[in-house]
């Protein structure tokens, strides 16, 4: 992963970062890196996630999924970090194995998905650290019943990733299901490079060893200076722009395979940094599609945004056939790849011309090593930003409040604050 922050400087953008401010910020990055490195060395909660490239056992993962190698469809039942990391990997790197993710409990969506798959050729992966997540367990019960109704032995088509105790662990023990353990000290949104995100990727034909290798290379690049470390350059720049008024971070990959990465990033950034009245709001976009929609706002709207442009140095290409249509001579001899690259460069230039700050994140290709490095780099960037904000990066009290409230409502407790009292019908 390479990061260029030149278009985030105040000589180009408003808000922008003075070069002298980056130099001063680098001293804080050095202190933050010391804290992060100590946390990694001690295996502290949260910081342990940054050790995954060295601690994850891909052989164990491959052994657990080997009985399901014939799966035509892999259905993951999980929510948030229990699903998004695997989805990002599969969408970026997967083969023609169908991968689906039940990460919501909308009845129509669940029914439509189950109606669309052949359950006899489907493998079910259930993911919950606690084994008590309401949405996950509810969806699992629905899928299990659908399998039984279809005459499918669900116990022969299911494996779980969970903690040492809880309903899922008891279920795995009772039915002799293959079971992987969630890594100790790793919050769900930081678990893509673990037994949470990698098993489904392996079933989808992803070179998970290559993913881990790329992440390990990114780990080795962590250092005490943002000028030497791409991950820290990104995290420090995003933080510095935010405190100068760019409270929105629009992540815009120029590769459709990375569209789900932007969704994964949104959870990582929002849930980790949105505390104590602080944090950037992540927005998901896709280049070149959203040049024809959201770019209008980024360029001409309020000066409260930074744009993170993610691009590839190399990609497979498709030539554009010659045409005698009027006005299309500029496409002669070009390809879809060269057109997409031109769209990327035009967007970057458009943002610079209008003074909207942007950061370029560049990958060698959409390959396992690059994607592994990207996921790891953004995790490290997030941890660094959390240190600079001074927030508890690895907790999510607002999320836990919502879970508790939902359980209370299901048990009949209607005493929630904020009940609407002004209705318009």
């Amino acid at each position: 992963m390479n990061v260029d922050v030149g278009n985030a400087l105040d000589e180009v953008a408003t808000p922008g970062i003075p070069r002298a401010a980056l130099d001063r910020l680098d001293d804080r990055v050095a202190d933050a890196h010391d804290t992060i490195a100590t946390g990694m060395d001690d295996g502290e909660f949260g910081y342990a996630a940054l050790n995954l490239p060295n601690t994850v056992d891909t052989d164990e993962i491959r052994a657990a999924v080997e009985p399901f190698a014939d799966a035509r469809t892999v259905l993951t039942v999980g929510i948030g970090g229990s699903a998004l990391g695997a989805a990002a990997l599969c969408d970026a790197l997967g083969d023609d194995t169908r991968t689906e993710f039940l990460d919501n409990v909308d009845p129509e969506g669940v029914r439509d998905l189950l109606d669309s798959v052949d359950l006899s050729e489907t493998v079910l992966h259930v993911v919950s650290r606690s084994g008590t997540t309401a949405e996950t367990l509810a969806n699992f019960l629905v899928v299990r019943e659908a399998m039984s109704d279809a005459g499918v032995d669900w116990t022969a088509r299911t494996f779980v990733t969970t903690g040492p105790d809880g309903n899922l662990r008891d279920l795995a023990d009772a039915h002799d299901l293959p079971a992987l353990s969630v890594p100790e000290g790793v919050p769900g949104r930081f678990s893509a490079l673990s037994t949470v995100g990698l098993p489904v990727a392996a079933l989808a034909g992803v070179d998970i060893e290559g993913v881990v290798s790329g992440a390990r290379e990114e780990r080795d690049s962590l250092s005490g200076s943002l000028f030497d470390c791409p991950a820290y350059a990104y995290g420090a720049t995003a933080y510095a722009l935010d405190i100068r008024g760019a409270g929105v971070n629009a992540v815009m990959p120029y590769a459709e395979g990375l569209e789900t990465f932007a969704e994964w990033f949104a959870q990582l950034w929002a849930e980790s940094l949105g505390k104590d009245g602080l944090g950037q709001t992540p927005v998901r976009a896709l280049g070149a599609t959203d040049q024809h929609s959201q770019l209008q706002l980024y360029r001409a709207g309020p000066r409260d945004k930074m744009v993170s442009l993610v691009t590839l140095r190399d990609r497979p290409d498709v030539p554009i056939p010659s045409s005698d249509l009027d006005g299309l001579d500029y496409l002669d001899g070009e390809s879809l790849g060269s057109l997409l690259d031109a769209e990327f460069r035009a967007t970057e230039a458009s943002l610079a011309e209008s003074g909207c700050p942007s950061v370029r994140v560049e990958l060698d290709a959409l390959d396992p090593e690059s994607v592994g490095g990207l996921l790891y780099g953004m995790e490290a960037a997030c941890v660094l930003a959390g240190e600079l904000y001074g927030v508890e990066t690895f907790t999510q009290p607002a999320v836990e409040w919502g879970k508790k409230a939902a359980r209370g409502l299901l048990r009949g407790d209607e005493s929630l604050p904020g009940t609407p009292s002004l209705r318009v019908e």
Side-chain angles (χ1 to χ4, degrees):
M1 182 177 81
N2 294 281
V3 172
D4 190 327
V5 303
N7 281 345
L9 300 176
D10 67 342
E11 58 205 58
V12 177
T14 304
I17 311 168
R19 289 180 182 270
L22 273 184
D23 291 334
R24 293 193 300 271
L25 183 59
D26 200 39
D27 292 334
R28 295 184 58 198
V29 169
D31 292 338
H33 174 66
D34 288 344
T35 300
I36 294 168
T38 299
M40 292 168 64
D41 288 342
D42 294 343
E44 293 180 28
F45 179 76
Y47 300 102
L50 298 181
N51 289 329
L52 282 172
N54 290 345
T55 59
V56 67
D57 186 344
T58 56
D59 290 338
E60 176 193 25
I61 291 170
R62 289 207 177 273
V65 303
E66 195 277 332
F68 311 111
D70 64 338
R72 300 284 296 276
T73 300
V74 184
L75 174 57
T76 296
V77 177
I79 194 166
S82 295
L84 281 173
L89 287 168
C90 291
D91 287 352
L93 302 168
D95 59 16
D96 58 0
T97 302
R98 181 176 176 183
T99 53
E100 298 286 353
F101 298 86
L102 269 182
D103 59 352
N104 206 339
V105 289
D106 182 285
E108 185 173 3
V110 173
R111 182 194 63 203
D112 290 348
L113 176 57
L114 291 179
D115 287 345
S116 74
V117 298
D118 182 345
L119 293 173
S120 68
E121 297 182 338
T122 297
V123 168
L124 180 62
H125 183 209
V126 190
V127 188
S128 170
R129 176 187 297 274
S130 67
T132 61
T133 308
E135 298 91 342
T136 300
L137 270 293
N139 275 335
F140 164 65
L141 293 174
V142 170
V143 176
R144 184 176 72 172
E145 182 174 69
M147 283 183 155
S148 296
D149 290 346
V152 176
D153 180 3
W154 67 271
T155 65
R157 309 293 296 173
T158 301
F159 70 103
V160 304
T161 299
T162 190
D165 304 299
N167 290 323
L168 282 185
R169 181 61 65 177
D170 293 343
L171 191 78
D173 291 342
H175 295 280
D176 197 26
L177 306 179
L180 291 163
S181 296
V182 294
E184 287 291 326
V186 178
R189 58 190 176 276
F190 287 88
S191 65
L193 301 168
S194 77
T195 50
V196 174
L198 294 178
V200 173
L203 286 171
V206 176
D207 173 9
I208 61 173
E209 290 79 11
V211 170
V212 172
S213 175
R216 187 178 303 117
E217 183 176 345
E218 204 65 37
R219 182 187 187 276
D220 292 343
S221 76
L222 299 183
S223 71
S225 173
L226 68 89
F227 298 109
D228 297 326
C229 174
Y232 286 172
Y234 183 86
T237 300
Y239 161 79
L241 287 172
D242 181 24
I243 65 172
R244 286 166 171 78
V248 175
N249 186 349
V251 178
M252 194 172 187
Y254 276 74
E256 287 198 13
L258 293 176
E259 187 172 11
T260 309
F261 154 76
E263 188 174 353
W264 170 86
F265 176 90
Q267 183 199 4
L268 177 75
W269 212 247
E271 193 172 355
S272 299
L273 304 178
K275 287 134 190 181
D276 304 330
L278 301 170
Q280 260 184 337
T281 300
V283 172
R284 305 190 295 271
L286 178 66
T289 301
D290 287 309
Q291 288 177 221
H292 298 269
S293 57
Q294 296 183 38
L295 182 60
Q296 177 65 37
L297 177 66
Y298 305 158
R299 179 181 164 91
R303 298 295 182 177
D304 61 351
K305 301 168 190 66
M306 67 171 282
V307 181
S308 299
L309 299 166
V310 186
T311 190
L312 309 177
R313 289 177 171 172
D314 187 39
R315 68 178 86 229
D317 213 346
V318 175
I320 300 173
S322 298
S323 169
D324 57 1
L325 298 176
D326 290 341
L328 293 183
D329 57 293
Y330 63 91
L331 293 178
D332 287 348
E334 297 295 344
S335 66
L336 294 183
S338 64
L339 176 57
L340 187 60
D341 182 59
E343 298 278 10
F344 165 79
R345 290 161 56 199
T347 296
E348 191 174 53
S350 174
L351 293 169
E353 196 278 335
S354 67
C356 177
S358 69
V359 174
R360 179 192 289 197
V361 179
E362 200 168 44
L363 308 183
D364 289 338
L366 197 63
D367 59 27
E369 291 76 14
S370 296
V371 173
L374 176 65
L375 295 182
Y376 185 93
M378 288 303 170
E379 289 179 357
C382 183
V383 175
L384 184 279
E387 298 294 333
L388 297 177
Y389 281 114
V391 299
E392 294 288 341
T393 307
F394 306 114
T395 62
Q396 52 284 332
V399 173
E400 298 303 326
W401 192 99
K403 291 180 181 178
K404 182 179 179 181
R407 289 193 295 269
L409 286 170
L410 290 169
R411 292 185 175 119
D413 181 5
E414 297 290 339
S415 59
L416 289 181
T419 303
S421 58
L422 178 60
R423 302 172 69 90
V424 180
E425 298 182 356

